[in-house]
């Protein structure tokens, strides 16, 4: 059987999903090992930032975890191919750092757990990049517009309703993290877009 020498896949599958898989595994381990802590908030060290950073890998229950894992999987499946491996890794890592930083500085809360803030950040950043790297035709981009309008309506509803408790997830919804994540995703998406535009595109022949 003859093989092709020096063949490299244009967009390897595993590297694109490796970081999402690591986040998912960390969240499952956090739920299994720290099942009772998220309801009071982590108090491992005298630092809200560190506790909120680690608290993203804990959830209020398995239903809460499954919802966020579904979000992790959908984002990886739907958007990771839009970015380079480096860009995708930056988006995911930056979202995990941005959320606790926002909740510490801009909209302080007592405690936080879950990945929803980071997922909002990743979604908005990827959605912006999808607009900038798409065909540029409103008719062809209609799914992106539906997602953008849907997210905007969700954030407006959360802003007007205020703090609510969701019986499915088993606790209060951290809508501050959702807003912060969306803002961070917008800034991150603009930064990556401008950075990628500034760099010359190499043509491979």
């Amino acid at each position: 059987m003859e093989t092709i020498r020096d063949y490299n896949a244009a967009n390897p599958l595993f590297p694109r999903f490796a970081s999402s898989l690591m986040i998912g595994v960390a969240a499952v381990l956090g739920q299994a090992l720290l099942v009772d802590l998220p309801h009071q908030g982590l108090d491992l060290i005298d630092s809200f930032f560190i506790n909120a950073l680690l608290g993203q890998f804990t959830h209020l229950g398995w239903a809460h975890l499954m919802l966020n894992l579904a979000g992790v999987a959908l984002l990886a499946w739907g958007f990771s191919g839009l970015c380079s491996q480096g860009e995708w890794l930056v988006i995911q890592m930056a979202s995990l750092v941005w959320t606790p930083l926002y909740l510490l500085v801009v909209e302080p809360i007592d405690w936080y757990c879950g990945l929803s803030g980071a997922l909002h950040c990743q979604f908005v950043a990827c959605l912006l990049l999808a607009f900038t790297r798409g065909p540029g035709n409103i008719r062809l981009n209609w799914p992106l517009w539906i997602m953008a309008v849907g997210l905007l309506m969700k954030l407006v509803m959360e802003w007007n309703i205020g703090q609510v408790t969701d019986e499915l997830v088993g606790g209060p919804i951290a809508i501050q993290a959702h807003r912060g994540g969306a803002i961070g995703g917008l800034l991150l998406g603009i930064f990556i877009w401008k950075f990628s535009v500034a760099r010359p595109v190499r043509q491979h022949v």
Side-chain angles (χ1 to χ4, degrees), residues 23 52-53 55-57 59 64 68 71-72 75 88 90-103 112-126 151 174-186 188:
I23 290 173
L53 180 67
Q56 293 175 107
F57 302 101
H59 291 77
H64 186 201
N68 281 338
V72 171
L75 283 171
W88 181 239
V90 166
I91 288 173
Q92 290 198 302
M93 297 302 103
S95 69
L96 292 172
V97 174
W98 167 265
T99 302
L101 184 63
Y102 178 90
L103 295 176
Y112 175 68
C113 71
L115 289 165
S116 59
L119 293 177
H120 278 71
C121 182
Q122 295 174 27
F123 179 75
V124 173
C126 291
L151 176 65
I175 57 178
Q176 300 91 337
H178 298 177
R179 288 195 292 264
I183 294 172
L186 183 62
L188 183 59

Side-chain angles (χ1 to χ4, degrees), residues 141-155:
N141 282 337
W142 65 266
L144 301 179
W145 286 107
I146 290 178
M147 288 188 284
V149 172
L151 176 65
L152 183 60
M153 292 177 61
K154 173 182 178 295
L155 294 174

Side-chain angles (χ1 to χ4, degrees), residues 10-20 79-95 122 125-126 129 133 188 191-193 195-196 199:
N11 198 356
L13 182 63
F14 179 74
R16 288 198 291 119
F17 289 93
S19 55
S20 299
F79 287 112
S80 64
L82 180 72
C83 313
S84 69
Q85 295 175 23
E87 289 173 340
W88 181 239
L89 183 61
V90 166
I91 288 173
Q92 290 198 302
M93 297 302 103
S95 69
Q122 295 174 27
C126 291
L129 292 178
R133 297 175 178 179
L188 183 59
F191 174 80
I192 294 176
W193 171 52
F195 178 74
S196 63
R199 295 175 58 186

